[in-house]
Amino acid sequence: MRPTPYKGAGRHIFISYAHKDSDKVYPILSQMQADGYHFWFDEGIDPGTEWDENIAQHIDACSYFIAFLSQNYVVSNNCMDELSFARDLEKDRLLIYLDDVELPRGMQMRLNRLQAIFWNRYDDANPPFNKLYAAPGIETCREGYQAGQNAAEPT
């Protein structure tokens, strides 16, 4: 199943990824969507709109930001701009490593204190999904979330 971007006005996650990594990212997003998480990614850009303005508006409006890091990501100026903008806006952020990649030194300095998930180091999908869903604040972007509810509890 191909994931679809969230179109509502509720709390949602902004997904930042390199298009060359779609084959790795889309299955994760499909499972997140099946598990009730709302997220927006660039497949939701309306035709005829300016890409950079649209991206900036969606990062500004998001409640959470996930960056899927890979070598493709770190060489993409667009991806790096998204991550920097989310940081400047002090968005809750989570880094998910798709590959073992060395971040540029400036990114290392800014991001090393963020907890990350090294998705590429798991053979089984359950442990990284458990870590993802336990990330502080991400549960607020799940369908039916109510304040005070444990992230692991079903709605």
Side-chain angles (χ1 to χ4, degrees), residues 109-136:
M109 180 185 73
R110 290 180 162 205
L111 300 175
N112 273 346
R113 61 190 127 131
L114 284 180
Q115 186 63 17
I117 299 173
F118 293 86
W119 207 277
N120 59 312
R121 296 181 184 173
Y122 291 95
D123 293 327
D124 178 8
N126 287 331
F129 273 109
N130 291 340
K131 285 182 176 248
L132 172 61
Y133 296 159

Side-chain angles (χ1 to χ4, degrees), residues 35-37 130 133-134 139-140 142-155:
D35 291 338
Y37 284 85
N130 291 340
Y133 296 159
E139 73 278 1
T140 66
R142 189 173 37 111
E143 182 73 35
Y145 170 77
Q146 296 172 11
Q149 179 180 20
N150 183 326
E153 292 177 8
T155 55

Side-chain angles (χ1 to χ4, degrees), residues 70-115:
S70 67
Q71 189 59 42
N72 295 321
Y73 191 96
V74 299
V75 299
S76 167
N77 289 333
N78 291 334
C79 290
M80 299 300 282
D81 288 346
E82 291 169 2
L83 186 54
S84 292
F85 190 56
R87 181 188 177 276
D88 290 346
L89 293 175
E90 298 181 354
K91 295 293 180 175
D92 287 332
R93 298 175 313 279
L94 177 64
L95 307 178
I96 296 178
Y97 284 82
L98 298 173
D99 302 319
D100 285 328
V101 62
E102 185 155 334
L103 299 177
R105 293 187 57 74
M107 275 184 77
Q108 285 179 21
M109 180 185 73
R110 290 180 162 205
L111 300 175
N112 273 346
R113 61 190 127 131
L114 284 180
Q115 186 63 17

Side-chain angles (χ1 to χ4, degrees), residues 33-92:
Q33 199 157 49
D35 291 338
Y37 284 85
H38 295 166
F39 52 80
W40 187 91
F41 60 109
D42 61 354
E43 293 289 321
I45 295 175
D46 293 324
T49 61
E50 285 196 39
W51 180 89
D52 55 347
E53 185 62 29
N54 205 307
I55 293 291
Q57 288 174 358
H58 280 91
I59 293 173
D60 190 42
C62 79
S63 304
Y64 208 89
F65 182 94
I66 294 178
F68 285 92
L69 300 179
S70 67
Q71 189 59 42
N72 295 321
Y73 191 96
V74 299
V75 299
S76 167
N77 289 333
N78 291 334
C79 290
M80 299 300 282
D81 288 346
E82 291 169 2
L83 186 54
S84 292
F85 190 56
R87 181 188 177 276
D88 290 346
L89 293 175
E90 298 181 354
K91 295 293 180 175
D92 287 332

